[in-house]
Amino acid sequence: MARPRLNRAATRRTAIVFLSVALGCVAVAGVAIGSVAIGPGQILAIVASKLGLSTDIVFTPVQEAVVVSIRGPRVVAAILVGAALGVSGSALQGLFRNPLADPGLIGLTNGAATGAGIVIVALGESSRVFSAMGPLVQYAVPLAAFAGAALTTLLVYRLSTIDGRACVRTMLLAGIAVTALSGSVLGLLSYISDDTSLRDLTLWMMGSMGAVNWTGVAIMAPAVALATWVLVRRAPALNALLLGEAEARHLGVNVDATKRLVIVLTALAVGVAVAFTGPIGFIGLVVPHVLRLAFGPDNRLVVPGSALLGAMLLVGADIVARTIADPAEVPIGILTSLMGAPLFLSLLLRERRRRWG
Amino acid sequence: MIPVLSAMGVGVRVGPKQLLDGVDLQLAAGEVTAIVGVNGAGKSTLLRVLAGELTPHAGHVELLGRNLTAWRPAEMARVRAVMTQHSDITFPFVVEEVVALGRFPHGGGESLEDYEIVQAALEFADAGHLVGRRYPTLSGGERQRVQLARALAQLWDTTGPRVLLLDEPSASLDLVHAHRTLQQVRRFSRSGACVVVVLHDLNAAARHADTLVMLDAGRVVARGNPAKVLCEDVLTAAYGPHLEIYQHPHGPWPVVLPRANELSTLAAELQPITLGQQPCEHS
């Protein structure tokens, strides 16, 4: 006899609480670890002092500056980007009923990269013109990346939708085609760009958390929060969708609205996230997979869990990225792929052994 | 008789092909109606139209006197459940989780009541022993019984008229399980449900349905009780001169079998391979 479903709901809550606490610990570690050592108590004291509360714990102005203007925004940004990638991956996998779907698959990441690439090269070619525009330049790359993500998603969605119903197979094919197209645009861009912008483009393509400040966080936070909140609420509908689209409709799910929401919100979350950090691979693919292996495929756990575990992984990866070769910094996108790909392969191998003996 | 579900002049066209043409049906609560006919006669298309999955080009379908297009999906899901032939789930849900999805229109499947309904529906569909198994590891027949349980769970505590639409619910089942399943479906209909089931097995339809609807090339060519529909004229018109009708030796049901001389023609064709091995010696 299997456990009653009531216990399943409790298990889910316990898992969510556990993941939240773990994320909190990793986040504190993310602020504490670095070339300037800061104790967890000092971090709390600095945060408290910023909120107008005074404590007995002593901290130096340098420590305060590091927490407030360097590691603070960086850790918060890593949480947001990780959550965006995790929640988007799990929602897309639910929508496509395919555990291999992720933001990269439908051309979203590459679309964002192309948008950013165009601006980086254009800025490089005519930096004298742009330098006069001042702070506007700071937002040009993120904006272009978001526009690229939104345009690709719109294009792929339009291509694969007939009478308001999206055909998943066409969507995947369109995603592959769009990815190839934007890949060639990026190749062309690196061919025509000068040395400086080529370096900028290449570095951005590797992914980095280094460029994020509080302004970036303020732009990312509402988009990621909205996407996460709505997609978590749609988790039961995503469960029903796993039976098939027609079957989900018969269960009373508004399939087309769910599809639209997943497409638009993942484009928003991933587009904004990629805009500030560059493409970061494997989080959206691996995180939901790990949760499914641990707790089963129920999206009511997988979707919110992916946000939490994605955030945790990216904060962790960022700690490694900036300490492993201190004072230099390894691009985080390279690191996540470096850690994610073997992990994913080992998961596949384990599953294969379990299934085929 | 007040119809729970009715089709009015339903026509469906795909390109130049008329899949359904002027189909009129009135279906009452408490009855099992079987849609029968040759492959490609339009059986599944009709079921999809009745389910609201396919909007007909001509005519319309009414559920409880209201046009299907006027129902909100969530509202409809509380009085009408559908079991399609499609039963793949890629993700490793356990059996109870799949059946609990049937409780989605009633608020999720998490309450103690939902849990009891899931168990009861699984028992009813002869799938109680599958609890705890991962759905993708089940056989085709086991999956069908789980899917039936899911559809039943969706309507389990609905009071008043309700509609259960089944597309070949016994296609992958062995003879005994097929009959047990259809018997249970019939039992369910007696609790006040209007059940429509697409079947290609005429004998199963004759045995378990109250009414048969014979489709041929998208038109209703006969409808009524099994004895009325399964007669020489109707079968010859729909299936050609290949079938013979017998009387079940122990009951009132007609039994349809391929014509005897058809079998001998078939045997003649197979002769080079099977000749000489036919007699069964130890019987």
Side-chain angles (χ1 to χ4, degrees), chain A residues 57-334:
Chain A
I57 302 164
V58 189
F59 53 86
T60 63
V62 174
Q63 285 175 327
E64 184 182 347
V66 167
V67 169
V68 172
S69 31
I70 300 175
R71 287 186 212 154
R74 197 172 169 141
V75 167
V76 176
I79 289 173
L80 289 171
V81 174
L85 293 172
V87 85
S88 302
S90 64
L92 286 171
Q93 288 172 14
L95 180 68
F96 287 103
R97 291 190 293 287
N98 189 334
L100 290 178
D102 87 336
L105 192 78
I106 57 167
L108 222 158
T109 317
N110 257 41
T114 310
I118 289 172
V119 171
I120 289 171
V121 173
L123 284 182
E125 295 296 326
S126 52
S127 51
R128 278 165 303 278
V129 184
F130 278 95
S131 64
M133 295 164 75
L136 213 71
V137 177
Q138 194 191 337
Y139 299 111
V141 174
L143 271 177
F146 171 62
L151 266 177
T152 351
T153 314
L154 202 68
L155 180 69
V156 170
Y157 186 65
R158 273 288 164 84
L159 277 175
S160 53
T161 309
I162 304 154
D163 294 338
R165 294 191 174 185
C167 166
V168 167
R169 204 184 318 167
T170 324
M171 197 181 279
L172 290 174
L173 289 174
I176 291 169
V178 167
T179 304
L181 184 68
S182 49
S184 59
V185 171
L186 278 172
L188 198 65
L189 282 172
S190 31
Y191 182 70
I192 60 165
S193 60
D194 59 27
D195 283 354
T196 328
S197 49
L198 180 62
R199 192 183 150 71
D200 284 348
L201 183 63
T202 314
L203 280 179
W204 186 85
M205 284 298 293
M206 289 173 185
S208 165
M209 305 296 304
V212 188
N213 53 21
W214 284 118
T215 322
V217 168
I219 296 171
M220 266 192 274
V224 176
L226 177 76
T228 307
W229 188 66
V230 176
L231 291 175
V232 166
R233 282 175 51 100
R234 285 275 159 169
L238 287 171
N239 276 344
L241 213 55
L242 292 181
L243 288 171
E245 273 176 37
E247 288 71 13
R249 272 198 193 94
H250 297 320
L251 281 171
V253 176
N254 193 339
V255 173
D256 298 310
T258 305
K259 232 185 257 184
R260 257 195 307 275
L261 272 178
V262 171
I263 296 284
V264 170
L265 290 175
T266 49
L268 179 69
V270 175
V272 169
V274 168
F276 285 97
T277 61
I280 293 173
F282 273 102
I283 299 269
L285 185 67
V286 174
V287 164
H289 198 83
V290 168
L291 286 168
R292 249 180 245 118
L293 280 179
F295 302 105
D298 191 337
N299 279 317
R300 285 172 294 187
L301 173 58
V302 172
V303 176
S306 294
L308 294 169
L309 188 60
M312 204 191 313
L313 268 184
L314 203 58
V315 174
D318 186 48
I319 297 175
V320 177
R322 61 191 159 79
T323 51
I324 194 165
D326 195 41
E329 201 176 292
V330 182
I332 195 165
I334 288 181

Side-chain angles (χ1 to χ4, degrees), chain B residues 7-227:
Chain B
M8 292 161 177
V10 164
V12 173
R13 212 176 43 242
V14 172
K17 192 162 161 51
Q18 192 82 28
L19 295 183
L20 290 176
D21 190 7
V23 173
D24 286 300
L25 281 180
Q26 272 79 44
L27 305 164
E31 277 191 12
V32 178
T33 304
I35 303 173
V36 294
V38 295
N39 294 145
K43 304 187 294 284
S44 292
T45 309
L46 178 56
L47 199 81
R48 287 176 66 200
V49 170
L50 292 175
E53 196 183 320
L54 203 66
T55 313
H57 298 101
H60 69 280
V61 176
E62 282 182 5
L63 174 64
L64 303 174
R66 226 164 96 202
N67 196 327
L68 277 190
T69 52
W71 286 77
R72 283 187 298 117
E75 193 187 7
M76 186 147 60
R78 285 193 283 271
V79 297
R80 188 277 281 121
V82 186
M83 176 190 164
T84 57
Q85 285 194 57
H86 168 97
S87 60
D88 296 340
I89 303 177
T90 338
F91 293 102
F93 278 109
V94 290
V95 164
E96 318 81 280
E97 286 177 313
V98 173
V99 178
L101 288 175
R103 302 303 297 163
F104 178 83
H106 307 278
E110 291 278 62
S111 70
L112 185 60
E113 199 194 356
D114 286 330
Y115 171 67
E116 282 166 356
I117 288 174
V118 167
Q119 298 298 321
L122 274 166
E123 292 296 336
F124 195 91
D126 203 10
H129 61 290
L130 298 176
V131 164
R133 294 272 305 276
R134 301 247 167 237
Y135 185 86
T137 67
L138 301 181
S139 75
E142 290 169 332
R143 286 181 190 194
Q144 271 193 317
R145 279 179 276 158
V146 172
Q147 292 286 355
L148 178 66
R150 177 185 62 76
L152 291 171
Q154 194 178 339
L155 300 176
W156 201 261
D157 59 347
T158 304
T159 49
R162 48 202 163 147
V163 175
L164 180 62
L165 305 174
L166 309 169
D167 196 352
E168 299 278 12
S170 55
S172 317
L173 300 180
D174 62 70
L175 200 55
V176 175
H177 273 119
H179 278 261
R180 268 228 300 263
T181 300
L182 291 171
Q183 237 163 16
Q184 290 294 75
V185 166
R186 189 182 169 89
R187 246 183 84 197
F188 186 74
S189 80
R190 296 302 184 257
S191 69
C194 165
V195 178
V196 184
V197 49
V198 168
L199 284 175
H200 65 246
D201 182 346
L202 293 173
N203 295 322
R207 184 78 176 255
H208 298 288
D210 301 292
T211 309
L212 260 54
V213 173
M214 176 74 75
L215 283 184
D216 189 31
R219 290 170 178 276
V220 177
V221 288
R223 58 170 309 193
N225 60 48

Side-chain angles (χ1 to χ4, degrees), chain A residues 11-25:
Chain A
T11 310
R12 225 161 50 220
R13 259 194 304 279
T14 314
I16 294 291
V17 169
F18 172 76
L19 286 171
S20 307
V21 171
L23 172 60
C25 296

